[in-house]
Amino acid sequence: MFRKLVKTDALTIEDRTFAVRYFELRTQRGTRRYSAEILLGPDDRIILDDDSVSELEARTARLVPATLYSRMLVARATAA
């Protein structure tokens, strides 16, 4: 099973921009699955999957900001 790049995008949250790559994968049953790879840093990425690119875009728009904000809160709590 190979992933095929179907779309690239950028997600801007506050003053930072993150690269997003959308892939299509055919399952063994022949159905299509889509995944998004969001690059937060050189060794830090989030991977999401869904049944359609539009649903995946919506999920990305909701989850990436929440992930970043929760990481900021944890960093503040451990620094204090």
Side-chain angles (χ1 to χ4, degrees):
M1 291 189 276
F2 295 99
R3 295 185 314 166
K4 179 176 118 179
L5 181 66
V6 292
K7 180 179 179 177
T8 59
D9 201 359
L11 182 63
T12 302
I13 301 168
E14 292 187 5
D15 60 343
R16 297 177 62 191
T17 302
F18 302 95
V20 183
R21 297 186 300 180
Y22 295 92
F23 296 94
E24 178 184 287
L25 172 72
R26 292 278 182 155
T27 66
Q28 290 180 347
R29 293 182 179 175
T31 60
R32 293 180 186 172
R33 291 289 296 171
Y34 298 92
S35 63
E37 180 181 59
I38 302 97
L39 304 173
L40 301 178
D43 295 325
D44 192 8
R45 62 192 75 216
I46 300 171
I47 298 174
L48 304 171
D49 68 338
D50 210 311
D51 292 328
S52 73
V53 173
S54 61
E55 288 293 325
L56 195 52
E57 289 171 323
R59 179 181 281 184
T60 299
R62 286 189 317 268
L63 292 179
V64 173
T67 300
L68 293 173
Y69 296 139
S70 67
R71 287 182 178 189
M72 287 176 7
L73 289 173
V74 169
R76 285 183 194 160
T78 58

